[in-house]
Amino acid sequence: MHVEERVKNAFCTLTDHSPAALKERMIECGITLEELEPYLKDPDGNPYYRQMIYQDEHVEMIVMNWADIECAPHDHGESSGWIFIMNGETKQTIYKGKGDKLPEPLFTEYKKKGRTLFAPKKGIHKMGRSGEDSLVTLHLYSPPIQGMKVYDLKTCAACVVSADCGAWWPEEQRQRLKEIQLEKD
């Protein structure tokens, strides 16, 4: 069975969208790196290339392959979910949100292939590739991400981005749904 069909069958009937239930169902899918290969493309100057594998009103699954560039600090709006490291190693920095002020970095951690990261609702983080191996990550969020906020620490600004934008400051004006000037501490 093709990966998209297997994922659809696993999630279309799911009634419990708690983080624990999502992680368990994702593990049960048994998705392999080889199955994700057709979805991986050149990030074309962005931190990663992302491809939607599945989306319904309750969940979305996205595969990302990373360039040698970190994404911007960002949250996932009202969504929470899991990030599965399918290949390589990631460097993740967690931030403390401070309302209308710049988020403050709390700690940095490294996770290798086979590990998972939890992305809490309104949690702010940034990720990037660490090491020489290609980084491929599989993301599962509930509900599908809307209202993601991306932070530009240099200009002391934040931006709520459209659903088709990744975790970087959008070059296209249509992807900037709301720009916010932040205060420095």
Side-chain angles (χ1 to χ4, degrees):
M1 184 182 307
H2 189 267
V3 68
E4 287 182 28
E5 186 178 340
R6 201 165 71 242
V7 169
K8 179 181 179 184
N9 290 341
F11 289 100
C12 73
T13 59
L14 189 64
T15 56
D16 178 1
H17 298 99
S18 68
L22 290 173
K23 184 177 182 183
E24 182 179 328
R25 187 62 58 101
M26 179 69 154
I27 291 168
E28 288 172 3
C29 284
I31 298 169
T32 66
L33 180 62
E34 292 74 26
E35 290 177 302
L36 298 176
E37 290 291 334
Y39 300 95
L40 308 180
K41 296 195 179 6
D42 183 353
D44 194 28
N46 290 318
Y48 54 81
Y49 175 81
R50 58 186 238 159
Q51 178 67 48
M52 187 74 64
I53 291 179
Y54 177 74
Q55 184 177 39
D56 64 24
E57 64 187 272
H58 302 289
V59 299
E60 71 180 0
M61 184 183 294
I62 307 165
V63 63
M64 298 178 187
N65 60 290
W66 293 75
D68 196 15
I69 307 169
E70 288 185 336
C71 66
H74 63 283
D75 67 20
H76 299 106
E78 296 297 320
S79 302
S80 65
W82 294 96
I83 301 165
F84 296 80
I85 313 304
M86 301 299 292
N87 195 66
E89 180 180 44
T90 186
K91 173 185 174 185
Q92 173 183 234
T93 301
I94 303 294
Y95 291 80
K96 177 182 180 184
K98 299 173 78 180
D100 291 337
K101 296 184 180 186
L102 278 176
E104 175 183 314
L106 293 175
F107 64 91
T108 298
E109 63 183 351
Y110 296 83
K111 300 279 185 169
K112 292 185 177 187
K113 177 181 176 177
R115 303 293 305 272
T116 58
L117 305 167
F118 181 65
K121 181 170 35 169
K122 296 288 187 187
I124 301 169
H125 76 141
K126 73 175 180 178
M127 293 177 61
R129 187 176 85 194
S130 176
E132 296 300 316
D133 293 336
S134 63
L135 176 61
V136 177
T137 54
L138 190 58
H139 302 242
L140 179 65
Y141 299 107
S142 183
I145 296 174
Q146 291 185 353
M148 180 170 80
K149 192 181 292 180
V150 175
Y151 295 86
D152 185 333
L153 303 180
K154 291 179 182 164
T155 64
C156 202
C159 182
V160 176
V161 299
S162 62
D164 68 333
C165 186
W168 52 82
W169 197 266
E171 291 184 21
E172 295 183 43
Q173 185 63 40
R174 68 172 184 78
Q175 292 179 318
R176 300 178 197 170
L177 303 181
K178 180 181 179 184
E179 293 187 50
I180 305 157
Q181 190 61 49
L182 300 172
E183 301 172 20
K184 290 184 180 178
D185 270 341

